[in-house]
Amino acid sequence: MTDHITRFAPSPTGYLHLGHAYSALFAAEHGRRFLLRIEDIDQGRCRPEYIDAIYEDLSWLGLSWEMPVRIQSQHLDEYQQAVDALQDQGLLYPCFCTRKDIQNEIERAGGAPHGPDGQLYPGTCRHLSVTERADKIASGIPYALRLDMTKALAQAGPLYWQDAEKGKQQATPEIFGDVVLARKDTPTSYHLSVTLDDHLQGVTLVTRGEDLFQASHVHRLLQALLNLDAPAYHHHGLLVGKDGKRYAKRDKSLTLRSLREQGLSADELIKTYL
C-alpha cells in the first residue's frame, strides 16, 4: 500500500464481473485511502439496481470505502461549469453531424485517419460560421460539443504524464481527433467527467485497465486546459478467460453475483481467479 488516494469507478450497466473485482482490489491495495465513484451519466443504460449490486459485491469482496460515494448524475452542474470554462476559452464547437453524416463525409474524402476509437471525425462542423451554428441551434437540431484539438494543443503546449508501468509519457491527445466532451442533453462525457471527478475527489493515483491507457492522453490535456491536478497513473493488465478474451458484463456466468450464488467464497474467488 502507498500513501496515494485511489478510486474504483464502475458504471452501473450490469453486474460486476471478475475483471471488476481485480480492478477494485488493485485500487484498494495501492492506496492509503480508497474511494468509490458511480459513473452513471449514461442514463439510458444505467440502472439503480446495479448500483445496489455494486455495493453488495464490493462488500462481499471485503472492501470498504470512504463516504459519501460520488454519483456522477448528481453533479451535472459541475460538469456544465467545466464545459462553460472550455467554451469561454473558445475551445469547443457544436457538431450537428449524425453518425451517418460522418461516415458519408469520410467516404467522400476517401477515408480518414484511425484513432483508438476508430476513424477520426473529419472536422465537418469545425468550419461552420458563427451564424450557421446559431441558425442550426435555433432550429432545434441535436448537437454535441467537440474539442477543437488544434486550438487546445496550441494553448496547452507540450504535456507529460507518469505511468507506473511505462514511465514518463508525452501526451498525444491528437490521436483522438476532435473528441466529444458534451451533448445538448448531457453536459459531459466520459473524458470530461472522469478527469474532473479525479481532481475534485483528490485522487493522486488513477489505477485502471490498460484498455484505458490511451484515454490518459486526452485526460492530461483536459487537466491542463481546466487547471486541474494531474495524478499519477497505473494501468494494469486485463484479466482474460480461457478463450483469451477479456471479461465483460455479457459474461453472465462470471459475474460476482453468479459465482457467489454457486457457493464460492470471496477468498476462494481471489485464490482461483485473481
Side-chain angles (χ1 to χ4, degrees):
M1 183 179 292
T2 67
D3 199 41
H4 281 296
I5 301 171
T6 60
R7 50 72 165 174
F8 176 57
S11 296
T13 58
Y15 294 116
L16 298 186
H17 54 65
L18 291 172
H20 290 120
Y22 180 79
S23 289
L25 291 167
F26 189 95
E29 290 170 359
H30 283 75
R32 174 178 55 84
R33 295 171 54 198
F34 174 62
L35 310 178
L36 176 62
R37 180 166 71 233
I38 303 297
E39 299 193 340
D40 65 337
I41 58 173
D42 186 350
Q43 291 296 290
R45 298 174 58 218
C46 295
R47 298 286 184 271
E49 59 265 29
Y50 292 138
I51 297 179
D52 293 337
I54 288 170
Y55 298 152
E56 182 180 331
D57 286 340
L58 294 181
S59 294
W60 177 72
L61 282 173
L63 294 175
S64 59
W65 50 90
E66 296 186 13
M67 297 295 287
V69 173
R70 183 175 175 88
I71 299 177
Q72 288 185 334
S73 61
Q74 298 176 0
H75 298 275
L76 297 182
D77 58 329
E78 295 174 0
Y79 306 133
Q80 183 63 62
Q81 291 172 18
V83 169
D84 293 342
L86 293 171
Q87 286 187 306
D88 290 344
Q89 297 176 62
L91 298 177
L92 302 183
Y93 65 88
C95 174
F96 307 92
C97 297
T98 64
R99 290 183 180 180
K100 185 176 181 180
D101 292 334
I102 295 172
Q103 189 57 44
N104 288 341
E105 180 63 27
I106 290 174
E107 291 175 358
R108 281 195 295 270
H114 275 69
D117 292 336
Q119 292 178 307
L120 299 186
Y121 176 65
T124 308
C125 291
R126 189 191 316 126
H127 308 294
L128 294 177
S129 67
V130 173
T131 300
E132 289 173 316
R133 292 174 180 174
D135 288 344
K136 287 180 178 291
I137 291 174
S139 68
I141 299 176
Y143 62 90
L145 290 173
R146 290 185 179 272
L147 180 67
D148 189 319
M149 187 61 70
T150 300
K151 288 184 178 180
L153 290 172
Q155 178 168 312
L159 296 169
Y160 300 86
W161 53 279
Q162 189 70 28
D163 183 78
E165 295 286 340
K166 298 185 179 182
K168 186 177 181 180
Q169 302 290 308
Q170 181 165 5
T172 56
E174 62 271 20
I175 61 177
F176 283 87
D178 291 357
V179 294
V180 171
L181 293 186
R183 299 188 184 277
K184 179 182 178 181
D185 55 348
T186 305
T188 189
S189 65
Y190 167 74
H191 291 305
L192 180 63
S193 58
V194 70
T195 305
L196 183 61
D197 287 346
D198 286 338
H199 168 79
L200 294 176
Q201 291 190 283
V203 173
T204 60
L205 176 65
V206 172
T207 65
R208 56 191 180 196
E210 61 185 2
D211 55 324
L212 291 171
F213 181 89
Q214 301 290 4
S216 299
H217 293 286
V218 174
H219 301 172
R220 183 65 190 95
L221 174 60
L222 292 176
Q223 289 157 4
L225 298 176
L226 293 169
N227 194 30
L228 307 178
D229 295 332
Y233 292 86
H234 192 156
H235 293 88
H236 58 72
L238 303 177
L239 287 189
V240 297
K242 295 180 180 179
D243 58 0
K245 296 181 179 179
R246 63 178 176 142
Y247 294 119
K249 289 176 180 175
R250 62 179 176 271
D251 300 321
K252 308 295 185 185
S253 63
L254 295 176
T255 63
L256 303 190
R257 169 166 297 221
S258 174
L259 293 170
R260 185 166 67 251
E261 290 174 347
Q262 294 173 33
L264 205 66
S265 70
D267 286 341
E268 289 172 331
L269 179 142
I270 293 171
K271 291 177 181 177
T272 303
Y273 293 101
L274 308 182

